[in-house]
């Protein structure tokens, strides 16, 4: 796994010190009626692969790239509250109907926003509604009302990308004054995994590595292949002295899976164990007394949802979880990854724990995190 500190230029919402560590989850409170089922990406326009012209790709794609303006309420000296721009990022028009348009962006781009606006290709700014976000995968879906003469990008297949494939990044680096800036590069590597810290916990984020220039404000923008297809959402870069060309995008196949669930449910529905945990290597030794010396990995229960199935089964705070269904749990990130990728809502699981040196086993049915 590729682990290192990431300076999340992730788009960072320009003007704000945004990192994934400070991302906040937006639930479904803003969700309205389900979107019109006629909303599709089938009217998307694809540039003929044979044209192989960057200029043609950009000309036919750039209208679908928008600016995302994060606004937060501030109180002036007269105690009057108003929404002011906190930062800007990028977004991609994903689907449209005659009544509404759905936009993809990064979760961290709209972090903490009290109001969100979309800046269109013609400079027009319209208010957006937040459908929902997923902090772990850093995806958010927005909606604007109205009928717009903008063709969504054709969705590509990110699993077909190979190192060396040419790609184009389009976004708004350093703010809207440089909107729809185009940079070119190649796919530097596929199937990269980067450990990030989010408000929903640590997560191993699957990404595409590219050397196409990605700068603050690019987050949420498009990574496009040489057929004019959207293959990724630009999200972060490594920013260190002497480091160049290390940008990362979330593969579009993963993005669309998350986006469709957000559009349907207002959030991503995942199995819910009902506990918050802390990795053993972060626990002071005084709290580990009585734990067998052979137990060096696992997670300690920090809090429990009193209404959860596992609370009813008898799990307690300070119990140390060492395995689920026979799978050893190394740390909190490992627990989360196993829970969310290998298990489903309704699964019956066996949880093994240590309590004051005594090994115990609990069997519970996984609930849903849906609110």
């Amino acid at each position: 796994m590729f682990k290192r500190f990431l300076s999340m230029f992730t788009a960072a919402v320009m003007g704000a010190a945004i990192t994934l560590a400070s991302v906040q989850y937006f639930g479904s409170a803003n969700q309205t009626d389900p979107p019109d089922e006629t909303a599709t990406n089938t009217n998307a326009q694809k540039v003929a692969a044979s044209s192989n012209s960057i200029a043609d790709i950009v000309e036919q794609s750039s209208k679908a790239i928008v600016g995302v303006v994060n606004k937060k309420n501030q109180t002036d000296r007269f105690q009057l509250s108003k929404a002011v721009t906190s930062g800007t990022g990028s977004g991609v028009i994903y689907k449209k109907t005659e009544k509404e348009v759905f936009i993809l962006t990064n979760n961290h781009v709209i972090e903490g926003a009290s109001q969100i606006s979309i800046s269109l290709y013609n400079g027009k700014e319209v208010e957006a509604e937040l459908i929902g976000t997923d902090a772990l995968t850093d995806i958010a879906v927005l909606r604007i009302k109205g009928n717009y003469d903008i063709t969504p990008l054709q969705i590509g297949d990110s699993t077909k990308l190979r190192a060396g494939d040419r790609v184009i990044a389009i976004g708004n680096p350093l703010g809207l004054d440089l909107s729809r800036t185009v940079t070119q590069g190649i796919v530097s590597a596929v199937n990269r995994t980067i450990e990030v810290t989010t408000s929903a916990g640590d997560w191993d984020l699957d990404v595409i590595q590219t050397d196409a220039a990605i700068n603050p404000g690019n987050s949420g923008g498009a990574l496009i292949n040489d057929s004019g297809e959207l293959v990724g959402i630009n999200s972060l870069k490594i920013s260190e002295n002497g480091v160049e060309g290390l940008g990362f995008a979330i593969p579009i196949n993963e993005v669309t899976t998350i986006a469709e669930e957000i559009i349907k449910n207002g959030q991503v529905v995942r199995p819910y164990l009902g506990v918050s945990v802390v990795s053993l290597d972060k626990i002071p030794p005084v709290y580990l007394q009585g734990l067998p010396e052979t137990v060096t990995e696992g997670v300690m229960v920090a809090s429990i949802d009193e209404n959860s199935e596992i609370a009813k089964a008898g799990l307690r705070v300070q119990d140390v979880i060492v395995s689920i269904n026979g799978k050893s749990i190394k740390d909190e990130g490992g627990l989360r990854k196993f829970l969310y990728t290998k298990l489903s809502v309704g699964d019956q699981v066996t949880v093994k724990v240590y309590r004051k040196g005594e090994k115990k086993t609990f069997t519970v049915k996984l609930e849903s995190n849906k609110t």
Side-chain angles (χ1 to χ4, degrees):
M1 181 191 303
F2 181 71
K3 296 183 179 179
R4 64 189 301 151
F5 175 76
L6 296 178
S7 179
M8 301 300 292
F9 270 56
T10 38
V13 169
M14 285 299 306
I18 298 289
T19 67
L20 283 184
S22 63
V23 172
Q24 296 183 358
Y25 175 75
F26 287 77
S28 57
N30 291 342
Q31 185 183 9
T32 58
D33 294 336
D36 188 334
E37 292 184 355
T38 61
T40 67
N41 190 262
T42 55
N43 58 346
Q45 184 169 339
K46 179 178 178 180
V47 180
S50 59
S51 72
N52 208 36
S53 165
I54 294 176
D56 287 344
I57 293 172
V58 172
E59 182 177 350
Q60 298 184 53
S61 302
S62 60
K63 280 188 177 182
I65 312 303
V66 301
V68 180
V69 183
N70 179 319
K71 297 182 179 181
K72 298 180 181 179
N73 287 331
Q74 288 188 1
T75 303
D76 61 22
R77 60 179 178 174
F78 301 108
Q79 301 302 306
L80 297 176
S81 179
K82 63 177 181 179
V84 298
T85 298
S86 174
T88 61
S90 304
V92 179
I93 291 179
Y94 173 52
K95 291 183 177 183
K96 60 170 287 190
T97 69
E98 294 182 353
K99 298 180 179 179
E100 56 194 1
V101 174
F102 295 92
I103 296 166
L104 301 174
T105 189
N106 285 136
N107 176 64
H108 72 264
V109 169
I110 48 79
E111 183 265 334
S114 55
Q115 184 178 324
I116 303 169
S117 295
I118 296 299
S119 176
L120 300 173
Y121 73 95
N122 57 8
K124 182 178 180 180
E125 189 170 304
V126 295
E127 186 172 346
E129 172 193 4
L130 178 64
I131 302 301
T133 74
D134 183 52
L136 288 179
T137 55
D138 198 24
I139 298 300
V141 180
L142 310 174
R143 173 167 56 190
I144 57 176
K145 299 291 183 67
N147 187 7
Y148 297 90
D149 184 23
I150 304 174
T151 302
L153 293 182
Q154 179 78 21
I155 302 299
D157 184 352
S158 52
T159 65
K160 294 182 178 180
L161 287 175
R162 300 181 300 165
D165 282 347
R166 184 176 63 172
V167 287
I168 300 163
I170 307 179
N172 307 310
L174 306 183
L176 300 182
D177 288 343
L178 299 178
S179 62
R180 281 162 290 283
T181 290
V182 180
T183 56
Q184 179 191 8
I186 61 170
V187 173
S188 303
V190 295
N191 301 321
R192 291 291 197 208
T193 300
I194 295 181
E195 184 177 328
V196 295
T197 299
T198 78
S199 62
D202 294 339
W203 188 248
D204 294 337
L205 189 66
D206 297 325
V207 292
I208 302 162
Q209 182 181 334
T210 179
D211 68 348
I214 297 174
N215 292 289
N218 269 117
S219 282
L223 188 70
I224 300 171
N225 64 16
D226 60 6
S227 293
E229 299 170 325
L230 181 65
V231 292
I233 297 296
N234 299 321
S235 298
L236 54 122
K237 69 179 290 184
I238 294 176
S239 178
E240 298 176 3
N241 290 334
V243 175
E244 296 290 341
L246 291 178
F248 302 91
I250 304 172
I252 198 61
N253 292 39
E254 296 187 22
V255 172
T256 53
T257 298
I258 295 296
E260 289 301 319
E261 191 161 358
I262 289 174
I263 292 172
K264 179 181 178 181
N265 299 309
Q267 67 181 99
V268 177
V269 178
R270 293 190 172 101
Y272 176 66
L273 191 57
V275 298
S276 62
V277 298
V278 181
S279 301
L280 288 190
D281 60 5
K282 299 177 182 178
I283 301 293
V286 66
Y287 293 103
L288 301 178
Q289 294 179 5
L291 194 65
E293 293 183 0
T294 55
V295 179
T296 59
E297 295 180 341
V299 294
M300 179 174 283
V301 177
S303 65
I304 303 177
D305 179 351
E306 295 180 355
N307 297 316
S308 67
E309 291 296 320
I310 203 162
K312 296 173 184 177
L315 194 75
R316 299 177 186 173
V317 170
Q318 293 191 17
D319 283 350
V320 175
I321 299 175
V322 293
S323 72
I324 297 180
N325 283 1
K327 167 68 175 179
S328 296
I329 300 302
K330 180 180 179 180
D331 51 28
E332 54 190 292
L335 170 61
R336 193 171 293 109
K337 194 75 173 181
F338 180 69
L339 185 67
Y340 295 163
T341 62
K342 303 299 183 181
L343 300 173
S344 302
V345 175
D347 283 353
Q348 197 89 2
V349 298
T350 300
V351 182
K352 291 187 177 181
V353 310
Y354 278 95
R355 177 182 298 166
K356 296 181 179 180
E358 181 182 356
K359 197 168 188 179
K360 293 181 174 293
T361 301
F362 300 92
T363 301
V364 296
K365 180 182 289 187
L366 292 177
E367 303 170 85
S368 167
N369 68 332
K370 189 173 181 180
T371 57

